[in-house]
Amino acid sequence: MSATHAEQSEHPGRIMSGEMAEQPAVLRRILDRGAPLIHETAAVIAARRPRFVLLTARGTSDNAALYAKYLLEIRLGLPCGLTSMSTTTAYGARPDLRDVLVIVVSQSGGSPDLVASTRAAREAGAITLAVTNNPDSTLAAVAEFHLDILAGPEKALPATKTYTASLLALYLFAEGLRGADGSAAEALPELAAGILDRQDEVRRLASRYRFAERMVITSRGYGYPTAKEAALKLMETSYIPALSYSGADLLHGPLAMVDNISPVIAVVTDGKGGEALQPVLDRLRGRGADLVVVGPAPQVEAASAGFVLPTSGVPEELQPVLEIIPLQLLAYEVTIARGHDPDAPRALAKVTETH
């Protein structure tokens, strides 16, 4: 057994834990070093006046892309869609993409279907932008524009720092498109560090889920991508079936499976998304659900348990960068409690090559 493998066996989760801890430094690096190029790229693309945006991604990056969809539609009024890559890679469709901005989000920039669909989009007349953690990747080379999220090497299979880095880069890009400087993000590194310092709180929450057979995670608005990403983290590390729903969708049927022994995590963004989620929280309490809230203090106090987020002074559209961190920690702690190694989930590879 190699030294690295031996160390992993003795200290399961060591790599994931270290990469989660890097997030404040990564966010600061983007703000200090990445922001100027992001704003410059945004200004060039804005001058071309795209009429529509298509977002392309897989896995964790797909959740970051969904966050970008909310940003671009709400803050810029740009209609957005999430692409189905198989229409191009498997069926050979060639839509007219003139004046369309195609944003491709990928940690590695190496998945063949992402590369192929980006090449096809560019040939179809699209403005193509790759957002990756690898400026030397094939995807970065194929796209017309590239943004480096500056997260540094990520070795643990569950993506953590690349997710929050992607969110911040996409926020700064969206702000740049509308001629803003994104200065509201300056507080994020310090706030993220404060959340990471509260791991003991998350560890106590994790004890609720050690023997869980399934979980439901719900949110609305800007928090919905967080719910999807949290569910993915829990499934890929602890192997608990975790179902993520928009609060509105949860009421359209899936609520029937929630009972007094069903763990539910509600991600309550402080703002319009949280207000829209309130009727869902009321229904969950009415069904006696084991409800945990991640969000502002009043919402947490009204639940059976939760994690209070530092939302004061943080715009709603930036809260997802903070919301996911306690949920990353939760996935890590639940996985350790269940006797698994979050660094090396079974059957997964760091670069997933889909076609």
Side-chain angles (χ1 to χ4, degrees):
M1 181 181 292
S2 70
T4 301
H5 287 162
E7 194 171 358
Q8 276 187 242
S9 299
E10 293 172 12
H11 305 284
R14 176 185 61 85
I15 301 174
M16 181 180 177
S17 178
E19 289 175 352
M20 287 189 293
E22 290 178 38
Q23 289 177 107
V26 171
L27 297 174
R28 173 50 57 197
R29 189 182 307 138
I30 295 170
L31 291 168
D32 291 346
R33 289 175 40 199
L37 179 58
I38 293 173
H39 291 147
E40 179 183 321
T41 303
V44 173
I45 291 175
R48 292 169 64 173
R49 302 179 65 82
R51 58 183 171 84
F52 192 88
V53 180
L54 287 174
L55 295 142
T56 304
R58 296 282 192 200
T60 285
S61 294
D62 198 34
N63 299 326
L66 179 58
Y67 166 73
K69 184 177 188 292
Y70 278 90
L71 277 176
L72 294 167
E73 290 190 340
I74 294 170
R75 294 182 66 75
L76 283 90
L78 271 173
C80 299
L82 301 175
T83 60
S84 300
M85 279 176 278
S86 62
T87 62
T88 298
T89 60
Y91 292 92
R94 292 295 183 266
D96 180 358
L97 298 180
R98 287 172 294 179
D99 302 322
V100 174
L101 171 59
V102 172
I103 302 175
V104 188
V105 187
S106 171
Q107 299 153 45
S108 68
S111 185
D113 58 349
L114 289 168
V115 173
S117 63
T118 303
R119 183 181 288 113
R122 191 169 180 182
E123 291 171 353
I127 307 162
T128 51
L129 170 68
V131 181
T132 82
N133 195 38
N134 184 1
D136 298 320
S137 63
T138 306
L139 180 60
V142 166
E144 184 178 357
F145 299 96
H146 176 254
L147 298 181
D148 185 354
I149 65 172
L150 300 172
E154 190 173 57
K155 297 179 181 178
L157 287 176
T160 54
K161 63 179 182 175
T162 52
Y163 180 69
T164 49
S166 295
L167 296 189
L168 179 53
L170 288 163
Y171 168 79
L172 293 172
F173 175 73
E175 289 296 278
L177 284 179
R178 67 189 196 96
D181 61 7
S183 58
E186 280 295 322
L188 291 179
E190 183 178 351
L191 293 173
I195 292 172
L196 288 163
D197 286 341
R198 296 163 58 194
Q199 189 161 356
D200 286 347
E201 291 181 46
V202 178
R203 190 173 295 120
R204 289 192 291 272
L205 279 179
S207 64
R208 304 167 72 94
Y209 306 122
R210 183 174 181 180
F211 301 107
E213 295 183 2
R214 71 164 184 252
M215 294 173 65
V216 173
I217 307 177
T218 187
S219 189
R220 289 203 69 178
Y222 284 111
Y224 180 43
T226 306
K228 290 175 67 67
E229 174 61 11
L232 176 60
K233 284 291 152 288
L234 282 160
M235 287 189 287
E236 69 183 356
T237 57
S238 69
Y239 318 138
I240 298 174
L243 307 174
S244 60
Y245 294 100
S246 157
D249 288 333
L250 185 63
L251 296 182
H252 281 267
L255 184 68
M257 71 177 173
V258 176
D259 52 30
N260 59 4
I261 60 171
S262 301
V264 179
I265 297 175
V267 180
V268 184
T269 304
D270 192 1
K272 292 181 179 179
E275 293 169 8
L277 190 64
Q278 190 58 54
V280 182
L281 299 177
D282 294 340
R283 291 284 297 276
L284 288 168
R285 292 186 186 104
R287 293 186 63 81
D290 177 7
L291 178 64
V292 165
V293 167
V294 174
Q299 291 289 353
V300 174
E301 291 164 3
S304 56
F307 186 97
V308 175
L309 284 173
T311 59
S312 178
V314 181
E316 182 178 2
E317 62 271 14
L318 274 174
Q319 291 175 35
V321 180
L322 302 176
E323 288 169 349
I324 191 58
I325 296 175
L327 294 166
Q328 293 171 344
L329 292 170
L330 181 68
Y332 170 88
E333 293 292 349
V334 170
T335 303
I336 295 293
R338 289 166 74 97
H340 304 305
D341 183 358
D343 285 343
R346 62 195 183 205
L348 294 182
K350 189 60 184 172
V351 179
T352 303
E353 295 192 357
T354 46
H355 296 270

